[in-house]
């Protein structure tokens, strides 16, 4: 039961494809124009099995959602043999990664506050509909020409109900269920193959705020972090959080700590974070209740096969030197709490300079 307005969805043959404006693990993105209205939109196209799976997941997530001012709008899809075209709203500003690069490499805190509040509203909408985004980062947040912020790229998204069902199946069959996302933005418990719920998006939000404020990926600011496997082990099993920006206000630092608690049960929810003075300018911070979260979680596995790039952006942010990683194996949790690479379940993370998005 699609929620797309027929007046907004160009019919087959009623639009023309323009120049390539992006490419990545989902396929390619072209600018497009409606022949009847002259309006602009974008077309995401899949040509391989892996690209098709990511786009089909995005369509399945978006087509059953009511339109939201905080989510990039799905306009329809077309199949041509084995190829899939997905028509999406055009966001003229590009991604927040683009914007940060064009405005000096990072964003001022007043702007970070504004964007963070809008991202939170998008996450609140998704979580209210039982959806975990699973790949929140600056490259997957798009900006309109009037300053509107919308979440994009739902190729990795998961429904909590689906995760519950697959968790039961996994217990019965001992099969692996791969999680998707970008490792440097992923929550520790996800990398440890323990759970995936709404709190994983909150951790990624904290990483995204750091990215906006510094212009760099989380965990990627020191030479010590140049070994990708060492970084993944540190995120999954260490007791650290990403380095917080030194120039942030006390409100900003407190907000980040509420997002980046290594105990997923203690992370604030979207509703609680929207009342934080960093985004609300309230005079006090309301401490969240100590009762357990209602959000469901399920055991999952991690690090599927993929190639990298997102949204409309063709350029990549700078990453730590020496991260030419060709193979990472999924982690398995040892009895003493450490993680070790799994043997036999190899997972190629083929990157051309940067950390990549992994999709199942």
């Amino acid at each position: 039961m699609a929620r797309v307005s027929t007046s907004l969805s160009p019919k087959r043959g009623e639009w023309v494809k323009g120049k390539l404006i992006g490419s990545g693990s989902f396929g390619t993105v072209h600018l497009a124009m409606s022949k009847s209205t002259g309006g602009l939109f974008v077309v995401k196209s899949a040509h391989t099995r892996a690209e098709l799976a990511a786009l089909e997941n995005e369509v399945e997530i978006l087509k059953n959602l009511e339109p939201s001012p905080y989510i990039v709008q799905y306009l329809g899809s077309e199949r041509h043999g084995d190829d899939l075209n997905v028509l999406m709203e055009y966001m003229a500003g590009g991604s927040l990664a683009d914007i940060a690069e064009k405005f000096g490499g990072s964003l001022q805190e007043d702007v970070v506050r504004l964007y963070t509040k809008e991202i939170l509203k998008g996450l609140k909408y998704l979580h209210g509909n039982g959806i975990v985004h699973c790949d929140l980062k600056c490259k997957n947040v798009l900006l309109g020409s009037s300053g509107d912020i919308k979440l994009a790229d739902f190729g990795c998204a998961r429904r909590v109900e689906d995760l519950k069902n697959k968790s039961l199946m996994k217990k019965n069959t001992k099969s692996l269920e791969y999680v998707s996302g970008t490792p440097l933005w992923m929550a520790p418990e996800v990398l440890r193959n323990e759970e995936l719920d709404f709190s994983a998006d909150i951790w990624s939000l904290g990483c995204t705020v750091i990215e906006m404020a510094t212009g760099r990926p989380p965990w990627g600011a020191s030479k010590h972090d140049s070994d990708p496997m060492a970084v993944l082990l540190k995120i999954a099993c260490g007791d650290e959080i990403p380095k917080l920006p030194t120039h942030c206000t006390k409100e900003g630092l407190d907000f980040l700590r509420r997002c980046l608690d290594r105990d997923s049960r203690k992370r604030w929810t979207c509703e609680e974070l929207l009342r934080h003075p960093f985004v609300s300018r309230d005079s006090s911070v309301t401490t969240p209740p100590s009762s357990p979260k209602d959000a469901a979680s399920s055991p999952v596995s991690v690090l599927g096969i993929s190639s990298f790039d997102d949204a409309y952006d063709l350029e990549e942010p700078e990453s730590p030197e020496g991260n030419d990683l060709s193979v990472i194996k999924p982690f398995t949790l040892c009895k003493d709490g450490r993680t070790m690479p799994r043997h036999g379940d190899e997972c190629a993370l083929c990157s051309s300079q940067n950390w990549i998005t992994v999709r199942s």
Side-chain angles (χ1 to χ4, degrees):
M1 54 183 126
R3 307 294 188 181
V4 180
S5 171
T6 55
S7 62
L8 295 176
S9 181
K11 301 296 187 294
R12 182 174 297 182
E14 295 182 357
W15 55 273
V16 58
K17 183 183 291 186
K19 67 176 290 188
L20 178 74
I21 58 175
S23 63
S25 56
F26 52 77
T28 57
V29 180
H30 285 80
L31 191 63
M33 177 185 291
S34 168
K35 293 180 181 179
S36 58
T37 68
L40 298 177
F41 56 97
V42 298
V43 177
K44 300 175 75 170
S45 302
H47 310 288
T48 69
R49 183 177 300 178
E51 294 169 357
L52 186 62
L55 268 190
E56 285 178 335
N57 186 70
E58 182 160 25
V59 169
E60 184 62 30
I61 292 291
L62 292 178
K63 73 178 183 180
N64 293 311
L65 286 176
E66 294 285 354
S68 165
Y70 309 109
I71 306 296
V72 66
Q73 188 168 4
Y74 165 74
L75 302 178
S77 59
E78 299 178 0
R79 280 191 178 272
H80 301 280
D82 294 332
D83 293 345
L84 173 65
N85 291 327
V86 179
L87 284 53
M88 306 286 291
E89 176 184 9
Y90 175 50
M91 300 292 286
S95 72
L96 293 192
D98 298 328
I99 297 301
E101 181 180 358
K102 293 172 182 176
F103 285 85
S106 61
L107 301 175
Q108 295 183 354
E109 185 160 320
D110 286 344
V111 177
V112 173
R113 290 174 186 262
L114 291 172
Y115 289 173
T116 301
K117 185 173 185 178
E118 300 305 293
I119 294 171
L120 273 169
K121 290 177 180 178
L123 287 179
K124 180 182 177 182
Y125 175 76
L126 288 180
H127 295 176
N129 282 276
I131 297 169
V132 188
H133 187 282
C134 295
D135 197 21
L136 181 64
K137 57 186 177 182
C138 282
K139 291 174 70 61
N140 290 341
V141 181
L142 304 184
L143 176 68
S145 56
S146 61
D148 47 320
I149 291 290
K150 299 191 179 186
L151 303 186
D153 195 345
F154 291 82
C156 294
R158 296 288 183 271
R159 292 187 179 277
V160 169
E161 286 300 320
D162 293 341
L163 292 171
K164 288 181 183 178
N165 295 335
K166 290 178 180 178
S167 174
L168 292 174
M169 184 182 300
K170 178 183 175 182
K171 290 179 181 178
N172 294 331
T173 65
K174 297 183 180 180
S175 62
L176 293 176
E177 171 62 28
Y178 285 104
V179 168
S180 304
T182 309
L184 290 184
W185 284 258
M186 292 169 73
E189 69 275 7
V190 178
L191 283 173
R192 289 197 305 268
N193 186 27
E194 290 179 353
E195 63 177 335
L196 174 64
D197 67 8
F198 304 129
S199 62
D201 279 345
I202 301 301
W203 176 279
S204 299
L205 172 66
C207 293
T208 302
V209 172
I210 291 175
E211 187 185 4
M212 284 191 280
T214 64
R216 293 179 294 202
W219 304 103
S222 70
K223 292 183 179 179
H224 174 71
D225 295 332
S226 61
D227 179 1
M229 183 58 73
V231 176
L232 293 184
L233 287 169
K234 180 169 71 173
I235 299 171
C237 302
D239 56 4
E240 301 177 41
I241 64 173
K243 184 178 180 180
L244 304 183
T246 57
H247 59 277
C248 270
T249 61
K250 290 183 179 179
E251 289 177 346
L253 293 175
D254 186 78
F255 181 92
L256 286 170
R257 292 188 183 101
R258 306 298 180 179
C259 296
L260 296 171
D261 198 309
R262 292 189 67 91
D263 185 344
S264 63
R265 298 168 298 178
K266 295 181 181 179
R267 287 176 213 146
W268 284 24
T269 65
C270 293
E271 291 82 358
E272 291 161 349
L273 289 171
L274 281 167
R275 297 193 297 269
H276 192 283
F278 180 66
V279 295
S280 71
R281 294 292 191 178
D282 286 345
S283 59
S284 62
V285 179
T286 303
T287 303
S290 57
S291 57
K293 287 188 176 182
D294 295 328
S297 64
S298 62
V300 289
S301 192
V302 65
L303 299 178
I305 299 174
S306 166
S307 61
F308 180 70
D309 219 329
D310 304 278
Y312 314 145
D313 185 25
L314 287 171
E315 298 179 355
E316 303 294 339
E318 185 176 352
S319 64
E321 296 179 1
N323 65 346
D324 183 16
L325 180 64
S326 59
V327 175
I328 290 182
K329 299 178 181 179
F331 291 112
T332 184
L333 191 62
C334 298
K335 291 182 179 179
D336 61 359
R338 295 179 296 111
T339 58
M340 295 293 290
R342 294 182 61 91
H343 294 287
D345 292 315
E346 293 192 354
C347 170
L349 297 181
C350 304
S351 173
S352 64
Q353 294 181 340
N354 295 276
W355 290 91
I356 65 174
T357 303
V358 289
R359 302 183 189 273
S360 53

